[in-house]
Amino acid sequence: MSHPAEMRVTYLGAFPHTVVAAVIWLASGILGQFTSTTGTILFFLVAGFFIFPLGEVIRKAMNIPNRLSEDNLLPMLFMWLAFTLPLSYPLIYLACRHEIRVFFSAFTILVGAHYLPFIYGYKMPSFGMLAITLVGIGTYFGLLHPEQFAIPALITGSVLLVFAFVHLLLLKRYYHER
């Protein structure tokens, strides 16, 4: 089994982790509609640290076996890739320091770009579509509707949820055909 195939099988094409991320984005969008901007952003940033651990809880609850070979270095690549998000917080701050309402738009662009290496790591071109969609959403709201604070979070969460299930269906179809 190739290293990307091992990743696809072990992590279900990132399904559990993407579901957790979607829920955090949706919860943040709802909070952003009814609570303070600062509180919403703090919730989002803190909750984001739990995406991988909660995704792993879901994966293990689904009884998905670990199919990663010892020589597969892709999990290390994804660990370093995960660090790019918190290390980009200064960039998000700089983008938002004069207009905090573009926080979710800016973060959507960042997360979209972060999904590009998933194309290689999982050998799933659908991650490219996810990346382009998220960058488009963030750009659209950031440039044309910067007054919208929470709507980009709600849309991003919805897109992530859709793609989580698209990836799960693609995997089922892929492995059913084999």
Side-chain angles (χ1 to χ4, degrees), residues 59-90:
R59 187 177 73 80
K60 288 178 181 173
M62 294 174 71
N63 206 24
I64 305 302
N66 183 342
R67 303 273 190 218
L68 298 172
S69 59
E70 288 185 27
D71 64 331
N72 189 341
L73 297 178
L74 287 173
M76 182 66 71
L77 169 70
F78 279 88
M79 182 191 71
W80 289 113
L81 181 60
F83 285 123
T84 64
L85 293 175
L87 289 174
S88 298
Y89 288 178

Side-chain angles (χ1 to χ4, degrees), residues 116-132:
L116 284 174
F118 285 55
I119 301 166
Y120 170 78
Y122 286 97
K123 289 290 186 258
M124 294 176 69
S126 53
F127 279 109
M129 292 302 300
L130 175 57
I132 290 166

Side-chain angles (χ1 to χ4, degrees), residues 22-165:
V23 168
I24 290 169
W25 278 88
L26 289 167
S28 297
I30 292 167
L31 281 172
Q33 295 283 355
F34 302 108
T35 64
S36 75
T37 303
T38 303
T40 299
I41 291 171
L42 287 174
F43 167 80
F44 179 78
L45 294 176
V46 171
F49 284 104
F50 295 97
I51 292 172
F52 186 78
L54 290 174
E56 284 298 284
V57 168
I58 293 170
R59 187 177 73 80
K60 288 178 181 173
M62 294 174 71
N63 206 24
I64 305 302
N66 183 342
R67 303 273 190 218
L68 298 172
S69 59
E70 288 185 27
D71 64 331
N72 189 341
L73 297 178
L74 287 173
M76 182 66 71
L77 169 70
F78 279 88
M79 182 191 71
W80 289 113
L81 181 60
F83 285 123
T84 64
L85 293 175
L87 289 174
S88 298
Y89 288 178
L91 177 65
I92 297 294
Y93 170 76
L94 291 171
C96 302
R97 70 178 171 186
H98 297 298
E99 181 53 79
I100 195 67
R101 292 178 293 182
V102 298
F103 173 82
F104 285 117
S105 295
F107 222 102
T108 298
I109 293 167
L110 176 63
V111 169
H114 145 274
Y115 274 114
L116 284 174
F118 285 55
I119 301 166
Y120 170 78
Y122 286 97
K123 289 290 186 258
M124 294 176 69
S126 53
F127 279 109
M129 292 302 300
L130 175 57
I132 290 166
T133 301
L134 294 180
V135 169
I137 291 165
T139 302
Y140 173 79
F141 279 96
L143 292 176
L144 300 177
H145 297 286
E147 74 284 355
Q148 295 294 329
F149 173 65
I151 298 300
L154 293 168
I155 294 171
T156 297
S158 299
V159 167
L160 287 170
L161 198 56
V162 166
F163 270 90
F165 284 97

